[in-house]
Amino acid sequence: ERQGCQIDFENVSFAYEGASGDPVLKNISFTCLPGETIGIIGSTGSGKSSLVSLIPRFYDTSAGTIRVDGVDIGKLDPAKLRDQIAIVPQKSILFSGTIEENLRWGNEHAALDEIIQAAKMAEAHGFITSFPEGYETILGQRGVNLSGGQKQRLSIARALVRKPDVLILDDCTSALDTTTETNIKESLKSFASGVTCLLIAQRITSVMDADKIIVMDDGEIVGIGTHETLMKSCRVYVEIFQS
Ligand code: DGT
């Protein structure tokens, strides 16, 4: 059973190297307990992707500390850190090759039944097996063309094959209908009961049932809480809800 990791941000600020003006993230502090699901919402450019990209150390903080299970990530072995954390990016990155090869990427030793289990959880098994070649279907230039939502589901499945302690979904359910999205979240809950999950979304409905929701505005956290709390206390959240 997965334990999930605790993640702490303490007064984290971040600016991209060479960029002028205000930092992209300003004084970010929050705690994500092991096994919690945290939603992250906010207008475009508010810093959501930048925030999660600091956790596997794609970039280093300019100030402040990030801890995974109490340890400063600057002191952790980067390879081990990246092995624990799976990020599903906004834009799916699939290559020319079979579906199975694409799902196994990053976890070359996975058995086929683990791949199938991950695909089932990501609501991808159905459309995969509807292709005559199934998991051997070739993607890309000389293969089948997938819809945006199908690509998103393969990207999520690929992350699940790795059985991460921390799963970060960066706005990668935007092309899915809400039923498919809900089904994926339900299977994540059962399989991944121990997995810590950060979920960036555009729609409030995507994060409404998270343990807590972080509301970002212009590089700052302007609210943290449950949907009910934020509806009462966070102007930016209510504006997103009404838009
Ligand atoms: P989204 O994805 O449109 O919903 O926006 P967020 O909330 O994910 O924002 P984010 O973190 O992508 O961008 C925050 C700010 O940082 C925004 O002004 C653009 C800037 N930025 C993002 N990526 C880079 C980068 O690779 N280099 C530089 N110099 N700036 C970046």
Side-chain angles (χ1 to χ4, degrees):
E1 265 296 292
R2 294 264 135 183
Q3 282 298 301
C5 294
Q6 175 163 334
I7 297 168
D8 295 291
F9 273 60
E10 197 182 302
N11 300 321
V12 170
S13 294
F14 171 66
Y16 286 98
E17 219 170 272
S20 55
D22 256 12
V24 166
L25 296 171
K26 288 165 266 188
N27 226 25
I28 301 292
S29 297
F30 69 91
T31 291
C32 181
L33 297 173
E36 265 189 336
T37 294
I38 304 270
I40 305 176
I41 204 151
S43 57
T44 175
S46 58
K48 305 181 295 295
S49 298
S50 303
L51 188 158
V52 297
S53 71
L54 299 178
I55 303 171
R57 286 186 66 196
F58 290 162
Y59 301 98
D60 281 321
T61 59
S62 314
T65 311
I66 301 172
R67 295 190 186 85
V68 170
D69 285 341
V71 183
D72 185 335
I73 57 169
K75 299 197 171 77
L76 289 171
D77 172 11
K80 186 172 176 290
L81 184 67
R82 285 177 201 130
D83 186 53
Q84 281 181 298
I85 298 166
I87 291 200
V88 183
Q90 258 174 49
K91 207 174 170 314
S92 322
I93 303 160
L94 300 171
F95 53 83
S96 306
T98 68
I99 289 178
E100 185 183 333
E101 285 163 353
N102 268 279
L103 294 182
R104 186 169 273 132
W105 185 74
N107 192 356
E108 271 65 27
H109 303 295
L112 182 58
D113 61 329
E114 292 175 292
I115 287 175
I116 292 173
Q117 195 203 8
K120 282 183 176 164
M121 285 188 290
E123 294 277 302
H125 181 70
F127 79 78
I128 294 170
T129 50
S130 75
F131 297 129
E133 310 286 323
Y135 283 79
E136 297 302 314
T137 303
I138 293 174
L139 303 181
Q141 281 172 343
R142 277 175 293 141
V144 300
N145 272 318
L146 300 176
S147 73
Q150 289 173 326
K151 288 181 191 165
Q152 287 187 334
R153 283 178 273 172
L154 290 185
S155 300
I156 295 170
R158 174 194 276 164
L160 293 176
V161 170
R162 291 179 47 203
K163 299 197 172 74
D165 295 315
V166 180
L167 176 67
I168 301 171
L169 304 178
D170 186 354
D171 198 12
C172 60
T173 54
S174 55
L176 304 179
D177 60 78
T178 45
T179 312
T180 306
E181 187 185 31
T182 307
N183 290 345
I184 294 176
K185 282 197 288 183
E186 284 304 313
S187 18
L188 281 181
K189 254 185 230 156
S190 50
F191 149 87
S193 55
V195 173
T196 304
C197 190
L198 285 101
L199 181 71
I200 296 180
Q202 299 288 336
R203 301 182 290 222
I204 295 254
T205 51
S206 307
V207 295
M208 242 163 110
D209 53 356
D211 295 303
K212 33 183 195 252
I213 302 158
I214 293 176
V215 188
M216 300 284 301
D217 188 34
D218 197 18
E220 291 179 289
I221 294 182
V222 294
I224 302 187
T226 61
H227 174 71
E228 289 71 28
T229 316
L230 292 167
M231 284 303 284
K232 281 185 228 142
S233 61
C234 183
R235 182 183 51 80
V236 176
Y237 189 78
V238 174
E239 280 170 12
I240 298 169
F241 183 75
Q242 288 167 344
S243 65

